Amino acid sequence: MSRGHNFSAGPAALPETVLRQAQAELLEWGGSAASVMEVSHRGKEFMAMAAQAEADLRELLAIPANYKVLFLQGGATQQFAQIPMNLARPDQRVDYVVTGDWGEKAVREAGSLAQVHVAANSAGNRHTAIPPRAEWDLDPASAYVHYTPNETIRGVEFFDIPDVGDVPLIADMSSTILSRPIDVSRFGLIYAGAQKNIGPSGIVVVIVREDLLQRCPKSLPKIFSFAEHAAQDSLLNTPNTFGWYLAGLIFKWLKAEGGLAAMELRNRRKAETLYACIDESGFYANPVEKSARSWMNVPFTLPRPELDELFLQESKAAGLLALKGHKLVGGMRASIYNAVTQQSVDALVEFMRDFARRRG
Ligand SMILES: *Cc1c(COP(=O)(O)O)cnc(C)c1O
């Protein structure tokens, strides 16, 4: 058995060194004489680990002191509902900018909880470009503006943070968080499901500006309330202890690798390598406008759909995993998150060139 080059969209590749460390301390973790999965989440050891994970994440993202960091469950999908429940009244307008399928889902979930207004939508060009900021129909009285900085399925990414004035900006960063430095102070709330760039699935990280917690209705069941989770340091009930631990190892790994500035350089180079291969091939194609092409998710098509199955079979045999595109788009998709190395991207590109030569 050897590990393949893993291009899975999520749950996605994890750094091998982190997996080896988890393997080494699986039976006896720290000084606890038990696995991290077998100890109380209210014990000294677990609480110290959890606090360190938060501190490391704060350092990596330079999170200002007036933001709370929550480690919750329910994934990004639960946040589609939890955000309007906490931050908007049912009669209040909320603005959504839709640049892909996850944004569409966020709109649908919020629909019964607030007055959802779609301020811009790139569906007209099949989500291959970002609608210019000047064309967004925003209301300064809205409770918030929600957008998706990286759309995982069609590979469309924002390379700047939109200016939305004083209205809190909310970002679903599930598939781009930690891929480069960001200015957290520009956001009211950032959330990210863990299984792309943070760790295993089962955790969602929420970074929320403290003043917004005053909006959380007292009538909300505690388990849905950001204010309650913040007041109890995300230990309102039993958290995903193993997921939190592994996320903590990932944060340490990121720091050891040079932090997010180093990730930015690596991720840019990986994306450039892959898009150059596609553009120079005369065989593969990516429909996204060049200025909005994702560094994390790279969909591409082959010239004839009947080649898809062959490409998947041969790539798998060559140790290149999980390249099948999302069913909404077809073709292929290579997800190249932080844990995917330049060597893996080089191996993919070499295979793609060879395949095009043989089948072109
Ligand atoms: C994967 C993903 C989600 C869904 O995350 P879950 O944890 O499965 O709920 C939502 N938004 C984006 C941008 C994603 O990439």
Side-chain angles (χ1 to χ4, degrees):
M1 248 312 274
S2 68
R3 286 170 58 76
H5 299 288
N6 188 354
F7 300 99
S8 175
L14 294 164
E16 189 167 322
T17 50
V18 165
L19 292 176
R20 285 194 191 284
Q21 184 179 348
Q23 181 183 44
E25 56 195 27
L26 188 65
L27 299 187
E28 289 166 52
W29 170 69
S32 65
S35 157
V36 66
M37 289 177 280
E38 302 169 298
V39 297
S40 169
H41 57 292
R42 304 198 189 278
K44 218 170 57 212
E45 259 140 3
F46 186 85
M47 300 226 333
M49 184 285 297
Q52 188 61 48
E54 178 179 333
D56 288 338
L57 180 62
R58 283 183 175 277
E59 185 183 329
L60 283 164
L61 281 168
I63 300 175
N66 63 325
Y67 285 73
K68 292 281 188 193
V69 178
L70 310 177
F71 290 79
L72 306 180
Q73 301 185 58
T77 301
Q78 183 163 304
Q79 292 310 309
F80 294 164
Q82 210 166 340
I83 286 164
M85 284 163 87
N86 277 274
L87 303 185
R89 295 186 313 269
D91 64 349
Q92 208 173 6
R93 171 165 156 165
V94 290
D95 286 327
Y96 280 71
V97 175
V98 176
T99 53
D101 309 280
W102 289 112
E104 294 280 8
K105 285 193 182 172
V107 163
R108 280 202 294 277
E109 281 297 283
S112 59
L113 298 161
Q115 302 303 309
V116 173
H117 174 77
V118 176
N121 192 335
S122 55
N125 59 36
R126 311 189 76 203
H127 301 306
T128 54
I130 288 167
R133 169 66 190 83
E135 291 170 16
W136 298 8
D137 174 29
L138 300 179
D139 181 349
S142 289
Y144 59 77
V145 179
H146 178 284
Y147 81 120
T148 314
N150 184 65
E151 279 283 357
T152 320
I153 293 175
R154 291 171 207 262
V156 178
E157 183 154 22
F158 283 74
F159 287 88
D160 53 10
I161 302 171
D163 182 357
V164 297
D166 291 335
V167 179
L169 181 62
I170 296 188
D172 174 1
M173 290 201 188
S174 296
S175 53
T176 186
I177 194 164
L178 299 173
S179 66
R180 73 208 73 174
I182 49 159
D183 181 358
V184 173
S185 73
R186 299 279 306 276
F187 296 88
L189 184 149
I190 291 167
Y191 64 104
Q195 66 272 22
K196 281 92 184 211
N197 254 346
I198 294 176
S201 62
I203 286 217
V204 54
V205 170
V206 176
I207 303 166
V208 55
R209 214 176 61 212
E210 249 163 18
D211 61 286
L212 294 175
L213 297 176
Q214 288 160 12
R215 294 189 189 180
C216 305
K218 298 271 184 302
S219 59
L220 270 187
K222 283 194 169 90
I223 194 70
F224 296 128
S225 166
F226 290 145
E228 285 292 335
H229 284 291
Q232 305 211 30
D233 294 327
S234 308
L235 294 172
L236 177 72
N237 67 328
T238 317
N240 176 352
T241 52
F242 185 77
W244 200 331
Y245 152 80
L246 211 79
L249 293 188
I250 297 278
F251 302 152
K252 282 198 196 322
W253 172 78
L254 285 168
K255 283 171 61 178
E257 295 288 309
L260 303 191
M263 287 301 127
E264 172 165 27
L265 291 176
R266 279 188 205 181
N267 288 326
R268 181 198 298 271
R269 177 158 167 245
K270 279 155 37 187
E272 281 172 1
T273 304
L274 189 43
Y275 286 115
C277 166
I278 292 167
D279 291 342
E280 288 160 9
S281 68
F283 184 85
Y284 305 104
N286 168 286
V288 179
E289 193 175 274
K290 288 201 168 123
S291 63
R293 281 174 160 184
S294 169
W295 286 1
M296 295 283 106
N297 310 97
V298 182
F300 58 93
T301 52
L302 279 63
R304 300 183 297 283
E306 60 271 22
L307 289 174
D308 286 3
E309 209 36 58
L310 200 61
F311 183 95
L312 287 169
Q313 275 171 20
E314 291 189 9
S315 57
K316 191 168 174 206
L320 305 162
L321 313 181
L323 288 166
K324 191 175 168 59
H326 192 279
K327 59 183 184 299
L328 287 171
V329 191
M332 306 298 145
R333 172 176 50 172
S335 294
I336 49 176
Y337 301 117
N338 283 344
V340 177
T341 61
Q342 179 71 38
Q343 292 94 296
S344 286
V345 174
D346 290 343
L348 172 59
V349 161
E350 191 183 333
F351 171 82
M352 286 169 69
R353 293 209 174 107
D354 182 58
F355 188 88
R357 253 194 311 273
R358 289 185 288 110
R359 308 286 171 184

